[in-house]
Amino acid sequence: MPILIPSYHKPPFYLFNGHLETIIPSVYRKIGGVAYEREKIETPDGDFLNLDWSSVGGNQLLVISHGLEGDSRRHYAMGLVKLFNQHGIDVLVWNNRTCGGEMNLRPILYHHGASYDLDTVIQHVLKTHAYDEIFLSGISMGGAQTLKYLGEKGADLPSQITKAAVYSTPCNLPSSAETLKWKSNTFYKNRFLGKLKMKMALKAKQFPDLIDLEFLHKVDNFDDFDTHFTARLHGFKDARDFYQSVSADNWMHRTAIPTLIINALNDPLLGKACYPVKLAESKSEILLEMPKRGGHTGFTLQNQEFTWTELRFLDFLNS
């Protein structure tokens, strides 16, 4: 039964609750020494994705999927890039549509279930490179995209992909979405919603007849935003239908390769259903690690450049 004993126990003394463990690294952590080479690829629907490469001539590749309103420059992505490069492994961080500094062409943006874009990235890599081994990783929303992709592919996953690891991942999207209604999570709700509303306003300039700007300015919660914008643009009935339809746990039972899931028990953005204990107990491919501490994309180590999750990923994926 692969419920793993957590090996992360003690964050720095000044990070004394899940909110500080989440916010302080997000705001203040900086990673230097990472240089990307950008590649733009076309998607099957006539859009594009920006891929940021950091290659060191390795025969292994780590593919990173970033979190909500993140991109390849986020500290959690660059930390993995730097660490894996130091161990001779090439890294590719793909930017979801509208992320990475450039607005996309199509009316749609991106969401937790956009595994079709991850598939486009993987197919491109397989056609243009000859890596002996490919690892998949994802952080937060990117973890959900990765888990959904793995489940959708199941036994048909390309043979080059041998392992995957995700952390701070909303395995059950409805459960995670509920946390943004909590008063204690008002900071996160306002931060994410503000950024997404700005992007939707930019999308309205591309497609003036598609976006109700007057209503957009009034939106102050994710149920309304996801019902009237995310769901509508991506073909879902409403927010509830969207959350349930794209939730990664609809597919996780079909995962066919060793996949590590690390979710801290004090993560303010994960509900109870985001900890797939029963699945991990019954499915050998799913390894679940649930540290008591860590927050959301935190897991800071005292006086160390890399986080515990980054070191844990390296140990798991490259062993």
Side-chain angles (χ1 to χ4, degrees):
M1 296 188 297
I3 304 294
L4 304 180
I5 298 175
S7 57
Y8 181 75
H9 300 291
K10 192 175 181 181
F13 69 92
Y14 55 88
L15 303 179
F16 50 80
N17 62 39
H19 294 297
L20 290 176
E21 290 179 76
T22 300
I23 296 170
I24 297 301
S26 177
V27 175
Y28 294 106
R29 186 185 181 213
K30 307 299 179 185
I31 299 293
V34 173
Y36 289 124
E37 182 175 342
R38 175 156 290 190
E39 178 185 17
K40 180 179 289 189
I41 65 172
E42 294 185 1
T43 62
D45 63 343
D47 213 333
F48 67 88
L49 296 170
N50 281 322
L51 280 51
D52 286 332
W53 291 84
S54 184
S55 301
V56 291
N59 57 13
Q60 297 169 301
L61 174 70
L62 175 70
V63 177
I64 301 174
S65 300
H66 65 75
L68 183 69
E69 278 307 280
D71 56 32
S72 63
R73 306 302 303 183
R74 291 295 289 150
H75 69 94
Y76 52 69
M78 296 180 71
L80 282 171
V81 171
K82 188 171 185 178
L83 178 62
F84 275 70
N85 278 175
Q86 287 179 356
H87 287 80
I89 299 171
D90 289 358
V91 184
L92 164 61
V93 191
W94 69 282
N95 296 277
N96 276 268
R97 304 186 197 208
T98 78
C99 301
E102 188 174 6
M103 184 58 64
N104 68 317
L105 303 176
R106 302 287 294 171
I108 65 172
L109 283 76
Y110 70 93
H111 57 73
H112 284 69
S115 53
Y116 45 83
D117 281 341
L118 176 55
D119 184 51
T120 296
V121 172
I122 297 298
Q123 292 304 317
H124 172 75
V125 170
L126 294 175
K127 290 177 182 177
T128 58
H129 296 75
Y131 287 105
D132 294 338
E133 195 172 19
I134 297 174
F135 309 127
L136 300 188
S137 66
I139 300 91
S140 192
M141 178 196 74
Q145 293 173 331
T146 300
L147 293 176
K148 182 172 179 281
Y149 170 81
L150 292 171
E152 288 171 332
K153 293 298 181 181
D156 295 325
L157 189 73
S159 61
Q160 294 92 330
I161 302 175
T162 58
K163 289 183 181 178
V166 304
Y167 74 95
S168 299
T169 294
C171 301
N172 177 274
L173 187 55
S175 175
S176 179
E178 280 297 309
T179 69
L180 291 172
K181 298 177 182 179
W182 301 347
K183 187 176 181 180
S184 59
N185 282 347
T186 299
F187 170 82
Y188 311 113
K189 182 205 73 172
N190 290 341
R191 187 182 185 193
F192 287 136
L193 193 58
K195 289 183 176 182
L196 287 168
K197 287 176 67 174
M198 286 191 291
K199 280 191 176 176
M200 198 59 68
L202 292 174
K203 186 62 63 177
K205 294 182 179 180
Q206 291 177 296
F207 303 94
D209 298 329
L210 196 62
I211 308 297
D212 185 345
L213 277 176
E214 184 176 352
F215 182 76
L216 177 66
H217 294 320
K218 297 177 182 178
V219 168
D220 63 358
N221 64 81
F222 266 95
D223 276 351
D224 284 344
F225 181 86
D226 284 333
T227 289
H228 294 278
F229 299 100
T230 308
R232 180 175 171 229
L233 289 178
H234 295 90
F236 300 98
K237 179 181 178 182
D238 52 25
R240 182 177 180 181
D241 177 47
F242 162 59
Y243 300 148
Q244 292 177 340
S245 296
V246 307
S247 187
D249 57 1
N250 291 326
W251 292 271
M252 286 167 55
H253 64 282
R254 300 184 67 245
T255 304
I257 61 171
T259 300
L260 175 65
I261 301 172
I262 301 173
N263 281 346
L265 293 174
N266 72 337
D267 190 319
L269 297 176
L270 299 183
K272 185 177 180 180
C274 291
Y275 303 86
V277 173
K278 290 184 178 180
L279 180 62
E281 289 175 339
S282 64
K283 187 170 181 60
S284 61
E285 291 84 359
I286 300 292
L287 295 89
L288 177 62
E289 192 162 352
M290 299 177 290
K292 291 182 179 179
R293 303 291 300 275
H296 190 79
T297 70
F299 301 97
T300 304
L301 293 172
Q302 184 76 43
N303 299 322
Q304 292 200 35
E305 180 176 20
F306 301 112
T307 67
W308 171 80
T309 41
E310 290 158 5
L311 296 169
R312 182 75 179 88
F313 273 26
L314 180 66
D315 178 66
F316 174 76
L317 294 172
N318 198 35
S319 62

